């Protein structure tokens, strides 16, 4: 079938036809000027919307000065952003890279290396949970364990022991003398917006302390304000040893970070890891500005409030559309609408109403608005969804 496709691209993404020319705030525009409300936000990446004046200024100012120097030289913006991230989180150390999967790779390497460094190299396995997504590199597809992602890419990388999420007794039974740590995605985004209960995170934290193993949080999607706290772990009152960030942290510029405590990072000595592009001056100029904007008074609290507002309105939508909608779930502006059928058609119909959304597993449609969206835009999206379901029902029943 793909043999007849004239595209020079890999077929990995299918061949989408909808394309955009420019964006402003929460809206995207096609080249003929048609406007779409962007509640996919580049899959939780455009956290401050499109063409935010301060981000444009930070990027263009830096672009006219210096793009890239490599990590053979000091990059002052790295020190600044790392220090700032540490000030507002559990962490004392930061390593910058370019994508979520890379930040997860760094997290996995950091955990293994910690135990090797303290004389326990046999502690090199990580416990992971079904439904989590950690990226598409060879290590992170093994960690994620999703068969569709592993298919055809054998041999599967060893070192991950996967169990279902939510069962603390099972976690306890799975820990052995070879366990280096536990990887948790606090709200499983790609997996269908499954919010893990705070009590589970607390229990996992206690087990990690008991066995002197490391808690790694994959906050690639949940971090940087998305759930209505700067980091999702702050909802549960626990702190990780290592955390991966990406998506929103660069506001659309490729940027990722692995954060760690001094203890957890102690094995990552000079020469143990590296990245050519990681933390380059362009990325740092944007990353520092994104964090400054997110730390402005009331920003994350407003995300939490708007999230509650959206969840309430969606609960009403569900009541009127219970023939389609099974559940509304989420935290902050990471919102899932679970349908009783795969959401692909509904996402397409919603796009015909000029509102963009993203799919997730478990028949879930994700709404991932820019974090600086407004209540009026949330109303607009939900009204469009209501129209969509009405039309879709008519079409289905005719
Ligand atoms: C998107 C995502 C990743 C992978 O990020 P990439 O930038 O695509 O490599 C990893 N973990 C989680 C939780 C994600 O949502």
């Amino acid at each position: 079938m793909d043999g007849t496709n004239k595209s020079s691209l890999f077929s990995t993404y299918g061949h989408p036809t909808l394309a955009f020319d420019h964006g402003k705030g929460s809206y995207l525009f096609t080249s003929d000027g048609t406007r779409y409300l962007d509640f996919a936000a580049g899959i939780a990446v455009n956290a401050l919307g499109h063409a935010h004046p301060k981000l444009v200024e930070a990027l263009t100012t830096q672009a006219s000065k210096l793009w890239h120097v490599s990590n053979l030289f000091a990059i002052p913006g790295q020190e600044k952003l790392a220090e700032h991230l540490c000030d507002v989180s559990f962490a004392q150390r930061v390593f910058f890279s370019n994508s979520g999967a890379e930040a997860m790779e760094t997290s996995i390497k950091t955990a293994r290396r910690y135990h090797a460094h303290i004389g326990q190299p046999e502690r090199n396995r990580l416990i992971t949970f079904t439904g989590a997504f950690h990226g598409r590199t060879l290590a992170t597809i093994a960690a994620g364990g999703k068969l569709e992602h592993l298919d055809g890419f054998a041999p599967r990388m060893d070192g991950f022991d996967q169990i279902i999420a939510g069962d603390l007794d099972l976690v306890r039974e799975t820990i052995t003398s070879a366990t280096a740590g536990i990887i948790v995605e606090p709200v499983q985004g790609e997996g269908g917006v499954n919010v893990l209960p705070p009590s589970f995170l607390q229990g996992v934290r206690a087990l990690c302390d008991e066995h002197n193993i490391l808690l790694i949080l994959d906050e690639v999607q949940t971090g940087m304000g998305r759930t209505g706290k700067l980091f999702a772990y702050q909802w549960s009152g626990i702190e990780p040893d290592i955390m991966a960030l990406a998506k929103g942290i660069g506001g659309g510029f490729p940027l990722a970070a692995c954060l760690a405590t001094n203890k957890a990072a102690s094995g990552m000595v000079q020469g143990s890891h590296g990245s050519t592009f990681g933390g380059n001056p362009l990325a740092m100029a944007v990353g520092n500005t994104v964090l400054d904007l997110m730390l402005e008074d009331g920003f994350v609290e407003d995300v939490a409030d708007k999230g509650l507002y959206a969840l309430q309105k969606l609960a009403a939508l569900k009541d009127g559309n219970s023939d389609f909608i099974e559940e509304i779930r989420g935290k902050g502006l990471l919102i899932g609408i679970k349908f009783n059928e795969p959401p692909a058609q509904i996402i397409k119909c919603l796009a015909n109403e000029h509102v963009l959304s993203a799919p997730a597993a478990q028949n879930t449609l994700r709404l991932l608005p820019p974090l600086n969206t407004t209540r009026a835009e949330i109303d607009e999206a939900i009204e469009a969804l209501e129209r969509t379901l009405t039309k879709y029902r008519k079409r289905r029943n005719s």
Side-chain angles (χ1 to χ4, degrees):
M1 187 181 78
D2 287 340
T4 60
N5 190 303
K6 289 288 194 297
S7 174
S8 301
L9 296 170
F10 273 34
S11 295
T12 46
Y13 301 119
H15 294 282
T17 49
L18 187 55
F20 298 101
D21 178 67
H22 61 280
K24 191 169 190 328
S26 299
Y27 292 93
L28 283 169
F29 299 84
T30 59
S31 50
D32 69 3
T34 310
R35 192 178 88 152
Y36 288 75
L37 179 60
D38 184 12
F39 271 27
I43 314 183
V45 167
N46 303 101
L48 297 166
H50 299 280
H52 190 292
K54 292 209 167 128
L55 298 187
V56 172
E57 194 202 321
L59 184 66
T60 51
T61 302
Q62 185 61 46
S64 61
K65 280 168 47 180
L66 181 65
W67 290 21
H68 181 84
V69 291
S70 91
N71 287 298
L72 294 172
F73 304 97
I75 297 173
Q78 283 189 17
E79 288 289 351
K80 184 176 172 208
L81 183 54
E83 203 179 302
H84 207 175
L85 284 168
C86 290
D87 281 348
V88 296
S89 75
F90 72 96
Q92 285 120 22
R93 297 282 180 153
V94 179
F95 182 91
F96 291 110
S97 55
N98 315 285
S99 68
E102 279 177 273
M104 280 308 298
E105 291 265 345
T106 308
S107 301
I108 293 161
K109 287 178 75 175
T110 300
R112 286 188 179 175
R113 186 92 181 184
Y114 164 75
H115 291 286
H117 185 69
I118 63 167
Q120 305 177 337
E122 70 286 354
R123 274 201 180 273
N124 55 31
R125 304 190 66 82
L126 292 155
I127 295 173
T128 64
F129 296 101
T130 50
F133 176 73
H134 301 302
R136 294 296 202 109
T137 61
L138 288 168
T140 54
I141 57 174
K146 191 167 173 173
L147 294 179
E148 293 98 303
H149 294 171
L150 288 158
D151 183 36
F153 298 119
R156 177 176 179 169
M157 183 181 280
D158 192 16
F160 300 97
D161 298 306
Q162 191 164 60
I163 56 177
I164 56 158
D167 182 345
L168 282 173
D169 288 331
L170 183 58
V171 180
R172 185 179 292 108
E173 284 162 27
T174 309
I175 296 172
T176 69
S177 57
T179 303
I182 304 178
I183 303 178
V184 184
E185 187 187 358
V187 180
Q188 297 182 335
E190 306 296 315
V193 192
N194 305 310
V195 184
L196 301 190
S199 59
F200 181 68
L201 286 183
Q202 290 154 6
V204 170
R205 175 71 268 177
L207 285 170
C208 287
D209 291 341
E210 189 183 320
H211 294 271
N212 194 28
I213 58 177
L214 300 172
L215 174 59
I216 301 169
L217 291 185
D218 182 345
E219 292 228 25
V220 167
Q221 190 159 156
T222 57
M224 305 310 292
R226 178 54 57 184
T227 69
K229 297 265 190 200
L230 193 58
F231 306 111
Y233 73 80
Q234 293 167 330
W235 287 109
S236 64
I238 57 113
E239 293 186 335
D241 302 289
I242 299 171
M243 177 169 74
L245 297 173
K247 292 208 163 89
I249 194 174
F253 197 92
L255 171 60
C258 172
L259 277 60
T261 61
N262 272 328
K263 173 186 146 180
S266 60
M268 298 301 270
V269 298
Q270 191 177 343
S272 59
H273 193 46
S275 166
T276 299
F277 290 122
N280 92 359
L282 289 173
M284 292 302 100
V286 179
N288 274 298
T289 310
V290 168
L291 185 58
D292 287 344
L293 290 167
M294 287 188 179
L295 291 173
E296 279 182 0
D297 244 9
F299 182 89
V300 290
E301 292 80 3
D302 190 41
V303 173
D305 287 348
K306 287 181 292 196
L308 285 175
Y309 176 77
L311 286 178
Q312 271 167 13
K313 291 208 93 179
L314 287 167
L317 180 79
K318 172 180 177 277
D319 286 343
N321 294 274
S322 50
D323 54 335
F324 281 124
I325 301 177
E326 284 185 4
E327 195 183 358
I328 306 292
R329 50 203 191 192
K331 197 90 194 151
L333 291 173
L334 173 45
I335 296 168
I337 305 171
K338 184 181 183 346
F339 288 96
N340 57 11
E341 61 175 60
Q345 286 305 317
I346 294 166
I347 287 171
K348 220 168 152 181
C349 295
L350 186 57
N352 288 337
E353 300 289 328
H354 296 178
V355 173
L356 307 175
S357 59
Q362 298 186 340
N363 293 346
T364 305
L365 177 155
R366 259 180 304 172
L367 293 178
L368 300 162
L371 303 182
N372 55 357
T373 188
T374 61
R375 283 169 179 73
E377 288 165 354
I378 292 170
D379 290 346
E380 184 184 334
I382 295 175
E383 280 156 24
L385 190 53
E386 185 145 33
R387 280 198 307 277
T388 298
L389 293 179
T390 303
K391 287 185 190 170
Y392 189 66
R393 179 182 297 106
K394 261 191 203 143
R395 218 179 64 189
R396 195 183 58 169
N397 295 345
S398 68

